[in-house]
Amino acid sequence: EVQLVESGGGSVQPGGSLRLSCAASGFTFNNAHMSWIRQPPGKGLEWVSTITTTGTRTYYEDSVKGRFTISRDNANNTLYLQMNSLQSEDTAVYYCATGAPYNGDLYRGTDFYYRGRGAQVTVSS
């Protein structure tokens, strides 16, 4: 059974930082492209970032480029999202996800076959 468990969410002031982690199990992690998606309050899901199996390539939604960094530890089956210079617009539930329905690491939708339960990130003064 595929399991994705996010941790590291919380509340932070604008300009602050948080690091999300996602512990993966039930599948061959180092064979899977991994992604982060988020859902702001009252809005739909948004794609945030994707990393390829070996971490060679990373992709980011324009609004988080230069502020967020996706990474992975294949030895420990863990995905990360380092979030710096957080803004109120980053407030959302963040999910790690895998299993794009098409286009592999180039998929920019949100209909992944698997995603975790999410971690709340709140940016507020």
Side-chain angles (χ1 to χ4, degrees):
E1 178 188 3
V2 171
Q3 288 197 331
L4 300 168
V5 180
E6 301 91 344
S7 61
S11 294
V12 65
Q13 292 187 340
S17 298
L18 282 173
R19 188 175 83 153
L20 300 180
S21 300
C22 172
S25 61
F27 63 104
T28 306
F29 183 75
N30 58 13
N31 283 350
H33 301 314
M34 297 296 298
S35 298
W36 289 97
I37 60 177
R38 67 185 180 185
Q39 186 164 26
K43 297 184 179 181
L45 288 164
E46 304 173 347
W47 172 80
V48 176
S49 182
T50 294
I51 187 168
T52 54
T53 55
T54 60
T56 303
R57 293 189 301 276
T58 57
Y59 310 93
Y60 299 94
E61 193 272 328
D62 284 346
S63 70
V64 308
K65 278 181 184 175
R67 300 188 299 120
F68 289 12
T69 302
I70 190 172
S71 62
R72 64 192 296 160
D73 179 350
N74 284 351
N76 290 296
N77 291 358
T78 304
L79 176 72
Y80 300 101
L81 185 68
Q82 177 66 44
M83 304 183 292
N84 298 330
S85 302
L86 282 161
Q87 305 166 357
S88 58
E89 299 77 34
D90 298 316
T91 295
V93 178
Y94 285 72
Y95 302 90
C96 70
T98 193
Y102 54 87
N103 281 355
D105 62 321
L106 299 181
Y107 179 69
R108 298 293 176 262
T110 57
D111 292 331
F112 293 88
Y113 289 125
Y114 305 102
R115 76 177 192 216
R117 292 190 174 186
Q120 176 70 49
V121 171
T122 302
V123 184
S124 174
S125 56

